[in-house]
Amino acid sequence: MKTPNDPLYPKQWHYFNNGTGSGESPGGIDLPKAWDMSTGGNVVVAVIDTGVLPNHEDITGSPNFIPGYDMISDAATANDGSGRDNDATDAGDAVKKGECFFGMEPDKDEPSSWHGPHVAGTIGVGKTNNSLGVAGINWSVKVQAVRVLGKCGGTTSDINDGIRWAAGLSVPGVPTNPTPAKVINMSLGGKQPCSQSPATQQAINDAVNAGVAVVVAAGNALPSEDASGYNPASCNNVIIVAAGDPQGKLAPYSNWGNVVEIMAPGGWTESGCPKPENGVLSMVQTAADRGNCGVPTAYAFYNGTSMATPHVAGVAALWLAQDPSLTPKTLLAELQKTARPRTSTECSKPCGAGLLSAFRGGPTKIDVSLAFDPDKSAYQLGETTKARVSVRLSGVPQAGKTVQFSSDNTSVASISPSSAVTNTQGQAETVVSISGMGQAVITAGADGVKAQKSVTVQKVPDLSWFAFMMLLASIIGFGLLRNRTLSV
Amino acid sequence: MSILKQLNLRFVFIMLAYGGVVFLVYRDEVLGSFLAPLAEGTALITSELIRQFGVEVLRDGAVLTHPNGFAYEIAYTCTGLLPGVTFFVCVLAFPGTVRNKWSGIAIGVPVLLAVNYLRLVNLFYIGVHFPGVFRLAHEVIWEGLLAVTFIGLWLSWISWSNNRQNDKIDILLKKGGE
């Protein structure tokens, strides 16, 4: 199973294979399985947000970072001394109480969010598998920052222009994007229905008609609300993403509703750092003023549908790298088809088709085969046999896979140990003990792929009485017939 | 002299061949379903016999159950088939006239089956009233009694068959002498 060597990757539970075993997470999106097929390719993803940090230690020199645009018209909002320009660096969006206009006014002084870098880091703007920092979803993606949010937020017109520019469409006064995106990530929104922003809907429609998939956040609220009241979450032609917690359940803050298409990990650290490991880990300039929660200061655990959205955008980029023929429509269909359905307990409110899964299957699917040694058509009480599993990927033995064994009838056949790790030949084994009459089905599973084989236990008559009688009769007969011959 | 002309070796050879066949085919996957009706029939007769002794019994297929909860299943290995067939083979394998052999089989096999029914009824009674000794009775006492019955019947037949043959020879000799 391919996993990156970035030292903070083990804390990025949101990427893990979905499951409860070692190295798995019930809220994970199966990236290691997907990475076994492909670690990505040259697909442009536009992050319409606060910008990026080109000098971040995990981004400097990254081929995954390509030029974007600062679409913020107002210099004060941009916080970089100018209006629109071609520098999409996140200049910070820290605000003091009383600095913003009505409606965007913070309750207290707020440090910079580094929201855009965090989102871009999840998609893969930094270098992945470089023994530094965090991993991203698509290891070779091209992330293009389109800066629309700054101090006190942003304007609808800048956002709409940002959408058009990212899609390669013309925006008055702005040079055309030389590297139009195939995916747009918008981890942003406001509390008003899209119907009240026809210009935003038009920009989205134009981008989608240009072949660009637009992925947007469902929005956050406590208590959570129906995303149909949010913009652009309630717009048509977008992929709307709700947030899941590490257990794969709808996060308490995540908006929901019938408009939601899919759920992705958004984390839930509750507040502060009580459970930092439950947040989505990505890159920021500094988290010192927010609390590092046990990771280096250039990285932070965040929660939100903003963090869930880039998971979908990143996976979309991963798939588009393998299959460029995917359109926004077929991409959504594939995302929903591959998603892991949620129960009403996991999503008490509508959360779309389920939890995002990056693993599409395909010809390089893991193959798990199960054999018994010895293999008999029928076993006897008290016997044992070895259940041997072979795990292969495209015929290549897979070492280090955790195989889970189970028996559907433990009164007939019990298993010990119940899990084992494959060796360099891709094999793992356990012992099946026969303890009752009847039949049991032994199941072995690795990476969600299962193999089954049944054990039949049959009555074998006790022939000791018969053997004794035969011996006795033979001895007696032999003695009685001694020296007698057949007359001819 | 051919080995098979030595009667003792011929007898042992037949017994070994028969034993080999039994060890090969006398198993659930070969005979289990084929002999299931025999097991049910045996259970039916056994349940009727148990009732004759005034003991309550419920039958479900080959499973006999007492209202107090005790139950056993009559498997095909409990039908008396194997002792009966083995006696049949032992008699056929031992030298004797055809008439004597069939006479021995006609008496010996029903006696063995009758002893087996006695065993089943008795084991049910023991299971109901003395469950603590059921295993001992099942695996030791009745196995031994069945073996003693088997050997006793067979030796009796050999003795009877030999005497009858000797009587015939005596008569012939006497006739020849006259």
Side-chain angles (χ1 to χ4, degrees), chain A residues 94-136:
Chain A
V95 290
K96 293 189 183 305
K97 192 173 185 315
E99 196 176 0
C100 297
F101 50 88
F102 180 75
M104 299 301 288
E105 187 68 69
D107 298 332
K108 55 181 174 42
D109 293 355
E110 289 284 355
S112 289
S113 66
W114 313 117
H115 190 270
H118 199 280
V119 168
T122 299
I123 295 167
V125 69
K127 284 182 279 190
T128 294
N129 206 33
N130 64 340
S131 303
L132 179 70
V134 292

Side-chain angles (χ1 to χ4, degrees), chain A residues 318-358:
Chain A
L318 199 62
W319 291 0
L320 280 164
Q322 299 165 62
D323 184 2
S325 68
L326 286 170
T327 65
K329 195 173 178 181
T330 57
L331 178 66
L332 172 60
E334 279 288 297
L335 286 166
Q336 292 190 309
K337 189 178 82 180
T338 314
R340 292 177 179 274
R342 299 288 91 179
T343 63
S344 58
T345 309
E346 290 162 332
C347 280
S348 56
K349 297 283 175 56
C351 64
L355 179 64
L356 172 71
S357 174

Side-chain angles (χ1 to χ4, degrees), chain A residues 46-123:
Chain A
V47 176
I48 299 181
D49 214 294
T50 64
V52 289
L53 296 166
N55 296 321
H56 188 281
E57 64 173 10
D58 212 3
I59 299 178
T60 303
S62 169
N64 300 356
F65 172 68
I66 62 170
Y69 204 81
D70 180 357
M71 202 62 73
I72 302 175
S73 308
D74 177 52
T77 302
N79 197 29
D80 58 1
S82 63
R84 292 184 173 182
D85 56 47
N86 61 3
D87 181 8
T89 300
D90 188 340
D93 53 2
V95 290
K96 293 189 183 305
K97 192 173 185 315
E99 196 176 0
C100 297
F101 50 88
F102 180 75
M104 299 301 288
E105 187 68 69
D107 298 332
K108 55 181 174 42
D109 293 355
E110 289 284 355
S112 289
S113 66
W114 313 117
H115 190 270
H118 199 280
V119 168
T122 299
I123 295 167

Side-chain angles (χ1 to χ4, degrees), chain B residues 5-154:
Chain B
K5 284 180 184 171
Q6 282 184 274
L7 283 175
N8 55 346
L9 293 178
R10 184 170 174 264
F11 176 79
V12 171
F13 176 79
I14 293 171
M15 296 303 278
L16 282 175
Y18 167 65
V21 170
V22 169
F23 273 100
L24 281 175
V25 305
Y26 197 70
R27 47 187 63 234
D28 207 31
E29 63 266 35
V30 180
L31 293 176
S33 56
F34 182 68
L35 294 177
L38 178 65
E40 281 202 32
T42 304
L44 175 66
I45 294 169
T46 306
S47 63
E48 291 304 321
L49 289 171
I50 289 169
R51 284 194 192 99
Q52 296 304 313
F53 285 96
V55 180
E56 224 178 318
V57 61
L58 300 166
R59 186 181 71 85
D60 180 13
V63 177
L64 303 186
T65 309
H66 187 266
N68 78 352
F70 172 77
Y72 68 47
E73 179 183 3
I74 297 182
Y76 69 95
T77 52
C78 310
T79 58
L81 178 71
L82 190 63
V85 173
T86 304
F87 184 82
F88 179 90
V89 172
C90 283
V91 169
L92 283 185
F94 202 86
T97 65
V98 173
R99 188 187 171 90
N100 286 356
K101 286 180 180 181
W102 285 115
S103 299
I105 289 164
I107 295 169
V109 171
V111 169
L112 280 170
L113 290 176
V115 171
N116 187 59
Y117 278 113
L118 186 62
R119 178 179 80 101
L120 293 172
V121 171
N122 178 255
L123 283 174
F124 190 84
Y125 184 84
I126 288 173
V128 171
H129 296 287
F130 310 101
V133 295
F134 178 83
R135 194 170 172 186
L136 176 74
H138 181 224
E139 295 177 8
V140 179
I141 296 172
W142 271 108
E143 294 283 288
L145 285 174
L146 211 54
V148 168
T149 307
F150 181 97
I151 294 296
L153 277 171
W154 188 54

